[in-house]
Amino acid sequence: MPQYQAVKGARDIFPEESARWKYVEGVVHALAALYGFSEIRTPVFEYTELFQRGIGATTDIVGKEMFTFLPDPGGKSLTLRPEMTAGVMRAALQKNLLGTAPVHKLYYISELFRKERPQAGRQRQFSQFGAELLGVSTPAAVAEVITFMMQVFETLGLRGLRLRINSLGGTHDRLRYREALQAYFGPYRDRLDAPSLERLEKNPLRILDSKNPDMQEIVAGAPKLFDYLDAEALADFEKVLFFLSERGIAFEIDHRLVRGLDYYCYTAFEVTGSELGAQDAVGGGGRYDGLARELGSSADIPAAGFAVGMERLLMTMEKQGLFTALTPHAPLVYIVLQQQEFAEHAMQVAFRLRKSGISTEIDLAGRSMKSQMREANRLRSSYALIIGENEVRSGEYTLKNLVTSEQTALSLETLLEILHEPVLKE
Ligand code: AMP
């Protein structure tokens, strides 16, 4: 075994797989443009405080999953970002984005870091694509982020993903509900597990998130947040559902759905895939008007967004056989050199071809003509361009079609012209 291994929970992506990533990323970029979302890139690390305020101290992420370090003695603690929303909101506030236009539609494809126990579908470094719509969180805005996300899935050809949706109501609704939950779980104190006991005081809503099978029976009998929503919250939720129905987006209302992060309000949603095993969440999101104020803004900023795990998305696509049509990048031309003494000449031809936009490969290791031909076939190049003494002398190169084996002698100028013909580029 080599001396150095990748860190557990982090992985390498080799060319065959990175072709898949590029394909998925291409779809995300294209649909973001269709929906009018522009890309934002934020730093990989932020001050730890940002996440403590922006995600919430009682969450698992902040409680135990952050990679936190002190860069300088006596300096401020830094954390590798475990999610994007807090950083995007920080950036928007720092730049006063909403002072320049009332609505900003941002998206990202970014690396994140969480100190979780690595297992299938759960890494310590992973990626998400996501969107954040800032400045408006009307049902139309919430429906727009969901529609964007669902169209990405649809365009990728994914089948059988479940969209579950719920409303968490406004702050006042949740305050009433919180009291109701404390009243309900209180008598079960001796049956609650340690994390739930801790959440009972700090954030009883999160008890409902418990994955502990022993807790399920108690959780099942808990009051439903939905029953505590006021008329305005209900009307808001119905409007979101109306938009989704109009667009043919299938959803299931799930009153048990509460997102793990503290700043969500009103609509929350999650997408799961049946092929993923225990870690079945592909993505999720919702509305988070309160986050900006949490980060020091003098008022709420209406906002809605989602994040989708790229690894789980790719894993689902793989399981559904959606990558079979993807062929790795093949060069149009492979230059086959007959005698090494013309290597410099051949290099110059390769340069000319590439310069005019024709993908070209050439042997850099001085291998035999036979192994160059083999390599041309292995790379599934469309043509071999044979260069030898005759070719250099006459200025006409032999272009061999590697499918039909047809050969033609052509000058470099004609070659450049012909290889640009779409008919040959196929
Ligand atoms: P969250 O930000 O926790 O709501 O996660 C959103 C999505 O990111 C999840 O649905 C997963 O697809 C993905 N995700 C979250 N944590 C991990 C992880 N540790 N490894 C891989 N994917 C993850």
Side-chain angles (χ1 to χ4, degrees):
M1 211 202 275
Q3 186 174 1
Y4 293 108
Q5 306 286 310
V7 173
K8 217 165 179 271
R11 53 190 293 271
D12 304 303
I13 297 174
F14 288 99
E16 198 182 324
E17 198 187 343
S18 65
R20 299 173 169 195
W21 280 76
K22 268 166 76 175
Y23 164 68
V24 174
E25 287 161 3
V27 167
V28 171
H29 290 308
L31 286 175
L34 269 187
Y35 277 80
F37 285 81
S38 310
E39 188 179 7
I40 183 163
R41 303 183 186 198
T42 64
V44 165
F45 48 37
E46 300 274 358
Y47 291 114
T48 305
E49 252 181 278
L50 174 76
F51 301 118
Q52 287 165 339
R53 295 292 302 173
I55 302 177
T58 63
T59 57
D60 282 351
I61 295 183
V62 172
K64 50 189 186 202
E65 293 171 3
M66 297 204 299
F67 283 105
T68 293
F69 55 99
L70 278 173
D72 314 297
K76 273 172 84 174
S77 166
L78 303 184
T79 291
L80 295 181
R81 61 186 180 199
E83 56 100 55
M84 282 296 287
T85 306
V88 169
M89 185 60 93
R90 192 263 317 132
L93 293 173
Q94 185 175 344
K95 190 145 171 95
N96 188 24
L97 271 194
L98 291 151
T100 61
V103 174
H104 289 266
K105 294 163 72 174
L106 305 169
Y107 82 102
Y108 57 82
I109 304 178
S110 302
E111 305 289 326
L112 307 173
F113 306 85
R114 291 185 197 172
K115 209 188 293 172
E116 296 188 273
R117 197 172 58 76
Q119 54 180 282
R122 187 183 269 171
Q123 295 170 211
R124 290 187 152 188
Q125 176 177 334
F126 63 100
S127 302
Q128 288 180 344
F129 89 85
E132 315 290 0
L133 202 165
L134 309 180
V136 55
S137 60
T138 54
V142 172
E144 181 150 314
V145 299
I146 299 177
T147 309
F148 168 31
M149 177 184 75
M150 295 306 282
Q151 196 171 330
V152 171
F153 298 148
E154 190 188 311
T155 308
L156 293 172
L158 284 154
R159 301 172 300 270
L161 293 182
R162 286 174 63 203
L163 169 66
R164 289 177 303 120
I165 190 162
N166 191 20
S167 177
L168 311 177
T171 318
H172 47 287
D173 299 318
R174 261 166 312 149
L175 270 179
R176 283 191 296 142
Y177 180 57
R178 191 190 153 100
E179 284 163 17
L181 278 183
Q182 280 167 335
Y184 170 79
F185 283 116
Y188 289 109
R189 226 167 244 284
D190 47 342
R191 286 176 59 195
L192 294 182
D193 60 11
S196 300
L197 260 182
E198 199 185 322
R199 289 167 182 167
L200 182 59
E201 299 309 324
K202 292 189 190 151
N203 188 356
L205 244 87
R206 297 217 42 247
I207 301 180
L208 306 177
D209 255 353
S210 171
K211 300 269 186 286
N212 182 351
D214 299 339
M215 299 289 304
Q216 296 314 309
E217 193 192 329
I218 307 174
V219 166
K224 293 185 175 64
L225 170 55
F226 205 75
D227 295 331
Y228 291 76
L229 301 194
D230 65 13
E232 181 219 327
L234 288 174
D236 180 282
F237 189 49
E238 264 163 31
K239 198 76 204 257
V240 174
L241 302 183
F242 166 78
F243 282 126
L244 298 182
S245 306
E246 285 278 288
R247 296 168 197 179
I249 296 174
F251 57 83
E252 295 161 40
I253 297 171
D254 180 353
H255 294 318
R256 293 269 156 232
L257 179 79
V258 291
R259 302 271 305 152
L261 310 184
D262 288 349
Y263 49 64
Y264 283 104
C265 60
Y266 296 94
T267 306
F269 53 91
E270 196 164 277
V271 175
T272 50
S274 55
E275 280 103 344
L276 287 170
Q279 304 302 322
D280 66 348
V282 176
R287 185 172 152 185
Y288 52 92
D289 301 2
L291 174 62
R293 196 197 285 265
E294 206 58 54
L295 299 184
S297 165
S298 56
D300 279 2
I301 290 182
F306 69 82
V308 168
M310 291 288 283
E311 285 80 4
R312 293 189 200 170
L313 188 65
L314 271 99
M315 220 188 288
T316 310
M317 289 182 67
E318 161 100 61
K319 294 231 160 104
Q320 297 190 358
L322 297 174
F323 288 124
T324 46
L326 269 192
T327 46
H329 164 79
L332 188 64
V333 176
Y334 193 99
I335 294 184
V336 175
L337 186 61
Q338 282 178 307
Q339 294 96 5
Q340 285 303 326
E341 57 190 291
F342 303 113
E344 285 162 15
H345 185 100
M347 294 291 164
Q348 192 58 18
V349 173
F351 170 72
R352 290 284 305 276
L353 291 173
R354 287 167 172 167
K355 192 84 180 181
S356 54
I358 298 160
S359 61
T360 307
E361 257 308 358
I362 184 164
D363 174 46
L364 300 172
R367 283 178 292 184
S368 71
M369 188 174 165
K370 198 169 151 201
S371 44
Q372 293 177 59
M373 266 315 222
R374 207 181 297 129
E375 186 65 2
N377 284 314
R378 192 185 70 82
L379 294 176
R380 291 186 301 118
S381 175
S382 308
Y383 298 95
L385 185 69
I386 298 161
I387 300 184
E389 192 175 350
N390 290 341
E391 282 80 4
V392 173
R393 209 169 278 148
S394 67
E396 296 226 312
Y397 305 101
T398 308
L399 185 70
K400 179 175 181 183
N401 182 318
L402 290 177
V403 180
T404 62
S405 293
E406 249 174 88
Q407 298 203 159
T408 340
L410 301 163
S411 71
L412 185 57
E413 279 63 38
T414 322
L415 203 66
L416 293 177
E417 253 169 54
I418 280 189
L419 291 179
H420 271 123
E421 293 281 327
V423 102
L424 284 179
K425 275 193 130 178
E426 276 178 1

